[in-house]
Amino acid sequence: MKLTFLGTSAGRPTKARNVTSIALSLPEPQHCFWLFDTGEGTQHRLLGSKLKLNKLERIFITHLHGDHLYGLPGLLTSRSYFEGAVPLQIYGPPGLQAFIDCVFHQSGVHLGYELSITEIVSGQIVTDDFFTVEAAELEHRMQCFGYRVTEHSQPGKLNLPLLKTLGVPSGPMYGKLKQGEDVTLPSGEMIRSSDVVGPPVAGRIITILGDTRPCENAITLSKDADLIVHEGTFAGGMEEKAAAYGHSTVLQAAETAAKANVKQLVMTHFSSRFDDAAIELLVQDAKEIFANVSAAHDYLEINVDRVTSETD
């Protein structure tokens, strides 16, 4: 799984940073990606990446502020020009359907692919063979959600030397054992899956939070995650201003990461008042609270690898 940051500025773009959008590339066999927010210019940022719109499968909108949403109509329209575009599903707060309907009606849009829009409430919103996505409301100036993406655990590794010793022929029996089924050899001997398959490999957890003040739901969504993305709009010492605008400081983002026991924190959504040098200083301040923290920049790519046991 890989995150690609397509926009990392708060409120308005700068010369170096576009407004908010994050892509999550999924592992095989999906061969697709998801988007979290689509600030104005997101499709332009995609042109500078390896991501193709016909491989976009889902979009998750945190809230309806323009710096998280205004790129959506253009992106959806342009996607019709890509051959082989798979059906696209969009999830977001109430009002999203009306926004899209209004823009499409007034501009006469006709899409060349299947589009569905789901206006969400807190709870589980997506589940398939590989992932579950949960949403919860955060604390912002308007209704805003955070998303927790949980990869399902994978079967453990086959003990190939032991299988050879036991005389298990390679082929379908291997597959059954790996999926947890016991098998019987031609000799009548039963081979138990639990004896020849290692422990399951835990799935990865990635949490992407929308704009928010510090709140309990941010901690709950982030609990024990491999990586969380948290806004860092303001510097430490600006807590009063952050609260007034429904945002967090970098120190508050670090506190959330620490309380949630996450492995890695990536901060984004920086106020345009901060240049890259200033943001680096903000990161150093946050490290006093949570060590494994970094600042996102446009086109930053972060791989989130599976954690496997030492015996695998």
Side-chain angles (χ1 to χ4, degrees):
M1 296 169 72
K2 180 171 69 178
L3 286 177
T4 303
F5 288 84
L6 300 170
T8 56
S9 180
R12 61 185 175 89
T14 69
K15 289 183 178 180
R17 296 173 181 269
N18 197 39
V19 284
T20 298
S21 184
I22 303 168
L24 174 61
S25 298
L26 304 181
E28 294 182 357
Q30 285 90 346
H31 300 294
C32 65
F33 72 98
W34 299 348
L35 277 178
F36 292 81
D37 285 335
T38 54
E40 182 183 359
T42 292
Q43 67 170 314
H44 295 274
R45 277 298 196 257
L46 282 169
L47 293 174
S49 75
K50 296 179 181 179
L51 302 168
K52 303 300 181 186
L53 278 176
N54 59 344
K55 299 298 183 182
L56 175 60
E57 182 185 66
R58 304 183 197 271
I59 299 175
F60 300 87
I61 301 297
T62 61
H63 64 296
L64 304 185
H65 276 155
D67 59 322
H68 296 254
L69 180 66
Y70 284 171
L72 184 58
L75 183 151
L76 295 178
T77 304
S78 293
R79 193 172 182 269
S80 290
Y81 292 93
F82 286 77
E83 293 184 3
V86 298
L88 179 62
Q89 297 172 294
I90 307 178
Y91 306 84
L96 180 60
Q97 181 77 60
F99 172 79
I100 293 299
D101 287 348
C102 178
V103 174
F104 281 7
H105 174 72
Q106 296 299 330
S107 57
V109 170
H110 297 283
L111 300 181
Y113 57 89
E114 181 182 341
L115 175 69
S116 65
I117 299 173
T118 301
E119 295 186 340
I120 65 172
V121 296
S122 294
Q124 181 176 299
I125 60 171
V126 173
T127 186
D128 59 25
D129 292 339
F130 304 99
F131 295 95
T132 295
V133 182
E134 300 165 90
E137 284 196 52
L138 304 173
E139 295 185 10
H140 191 42
R141 289 178 294 161
M142 69 186 312
Q143 189 176 36
C144 182
F145 289 89
Y147 296 99
R148 178 183 176 94
V149 180
T150 302
E151 181 185 34
H152 299 172
S153 60
Q154 302 294 312
K157 203 171 183 182
L158 287 171
N159 188 330
L160 297 179
L162 179 56
L163 288 170
K164 185 175 181 180
T165 299
L166 294 172
V168 180
S170 60
M173 283 190 177
Y174 276 28
K176 291 181 178 180
L177 288 166
K178 191 171 180 65
Q179 295 303 318
E181 297 181 40
D182 299 333
V183 300
T184 302
L185 299 180
S187 65
E189 180 184 2
M190 176 178 285
I191 307 298
R192 299 188 182 280
S193 173
S194 58
D195 294 334
V196 296
V197 179
V201 179
R204 292 159 283 192
I205 300 172
I206 295 175
T207 296
I208 298 176
L209 301 173
D211 293 359
T212 186
R213 302 180 184 94
C215 64
E216 285 301 314
N217 276 349
I219 297 171
T220 300
L221 285 172
S222 304
K223 188 66 175 176
D224 299 324
D226 293 275
L227 183 148
I228 70 167
V229 179
H230 196 301
E231 66 140 289
T233 308
F234 294 103
M238 302 178 71
E239 285 75 18
E240 185 174 340
K241 189 177 187 69
Y245 285 92
H247 290 297
S248 297
T249 69
V250 294
L251 301 185
Q252 290 170 329
E255 288 168 355
T256 294
K259 290 176 181 177
N261 190 39
V262 308
K263 295 182 177 69
Q264 183 178 3
L265 164 65
V266 182
M267 297 187 299
T268 187
H269 199 269
F270 297 107
S271 168
S272 59
R273 61 170 51 85
F274 302 120
D275 60 16
D276 288 348
I279 289 172
E280 183 55 38
L281 293 177
L282 298 182
V283 170
Q284 296 307 313
D285 289 342
K287 284 184 176 180
E288 297 295 323
I289 298 173
F290 186 82
N292 192 14
V293 56
S294 59
H297 57 78
D298 288 22
Y299 290 122
L300 173 68
E301 295 182 347
I302 297 182
N303 289 306
V304 182
D305 298 321
R306 285 193 183 94
V307 176
T308 57
S309 67
E310 294 181 358
T311 59
D312 283 351

